[in-house]
Amino acid sequence: MQNPAGRHGRPAYDRDSLLEVAVVVFNERGYDGTGMEELARRLGLSKSSIYHHVSGKEELLELAVNRALDAIFAVLDEEERQAPDPVVGSPATARMKRVIHRSVEVLAAELPYVTLLLRLHGNSEVEQRALARRREFDHRVAELMTRAAAEGGIRADIDPHLASRLLFGTVNSLVEWYRPDRGLTVETLADALTTILFDGLHGPASG
């Protein structure tokens, strides 16, 4: 990230670029272990300069996790607006595959923000609201899994809530090891993960 020098040679930040640095620090030190003094030091700003943009580190956390949540909810919303693709399979199954594929793409695009979201513990009102939105996302995915199972597109003998947790547990685990600069493209990763997950979810062949 590049920041033009402001007056007196100090970095010039807007709220977005300030948030970008704050998320890196939160992920390195943990949100609870990061004080405004540390943020000011890493930014090369005074605390009063930070307060010019945000009310404090809790607002920075809320901005960061909402960015991640808005991105993953957009995946579900865009699927609800799309017509089914008959070539891929049953409507709900096709949508489920695309949700997984797009979720990998979103995770890669918003990696620091999703990482922070997945490490929340619910220790503040901001975190509790974020976790409530995550539960809403899980519920919507489970509903889609239920429809896919009813259509025969995926196994019907696994609880859809359990299946969706397992699926997104796998997707979310990418934050622990995926690094965009190591040569594995997002498209390759999303294709491989979707194929493996859904080959495993197909029921046994009839006959």
Side-chain angles (χ1 to χ4, degrees):
M1 177 187 66
Q2 295 182 346
N3 288 293
R7 287 183 300 174
H8 310 298
R10 291 184 176 181
Y13 289 95
D14 58 18
R15 192 166 73 163
D16 287 341
S17 56
L18 188 153
L19 178 63
E20 184 179 338
V21 175
V23 168
V24 171
V25 179
F26 289 157
N27 283 331
E28 288 177 358
R29 300 174 61 90
Y31 173 73
D32 292 332
T34 303
M36 291 299 291
E37 294 82 0
E38 176 63 19
L39 286 176
R41 186 186 70 80
R42 290 288 290 271
L43 290 160
L45 299 174
S46 65
K47 287 195 290 184
S48 61
S49 296
I50 300 175
Y51 291 131
H52 176 72
H53 297 285
V54 294
S55 60
K57 73 169 192 172
E58 191 167 67
E59 184 179 354
L60 286 167
L61 177 66
E62 187 163 31
L63 289 168
V65 297
N66 281 344
R67 173 167 165 166
L69 286 162
D70 290 346
I72 63 175
F73 269 95
V75 171
L76 287 177
D77 293 339
E78 76 182 33
E79 277 309 313
E80 289 179 357
R81 292 192 296 267
Q82 286 192 20
D85 183 351
V87 175
V88 178
S90 61
T93 305
R95 288 195 170 101
M96 194 69 241
K97 289 180 179 179
R98 288 195 297 264
V99 165
I100 293 296
H101 198 282
R102 286 284 295 121
S103 293
V104 175
E105 295 172 344
V106 165
L107 183 145
E110 305 289 350
L111 187 58
Y113 300 89
V114 177
T115 300
L116 181 61
L117 171 66
L118 295 177
R119 292 177 178 173
L120 297 183
H121 299 294
N123 295 332
S124 67
E125 289 186 10
V126 168
E127 293 176 78
Q128 290 167 11
R129 287 196 295 271
L131 292 177
R133 287 189 70 189
R134 281 191 62 189
R135 289 191 293 272
E136 180 189 349
F137 178 85
D138 292 342
H139 180 71
R140 286 178 61 181
V141 171
E143 288 181 338
L144 186 56
M145 292 285 285
T146 301
R147 293 200 298 273
E151 293 168 357
I154 62 172
R155 298 180 68 113
D157 59 340
I158 298 176
D159 177 78
H161 285 82
L162 174 59
S164 62
R165 283 178 177 272
L166 292 172
L167 283 173
F168 275 90
T170 303
V171 173
N172 293 341
S173 71
L174 299 179
V175 303
E176 301 300 331
W177 63 267
Y178 175 68
R179 298 297 177 266
D181 59 352
R182 294 183 182 174
L184 179 61
T185 68
V186 175
E187 188 68 19
T188 298
L189 178 62
D191 285 347
L193 190 144
T194 304
T195 299
I196 290 171
L197 289 175
F198 280 90
D199 281 350
L201 284 171
H202 278 302
S206 60

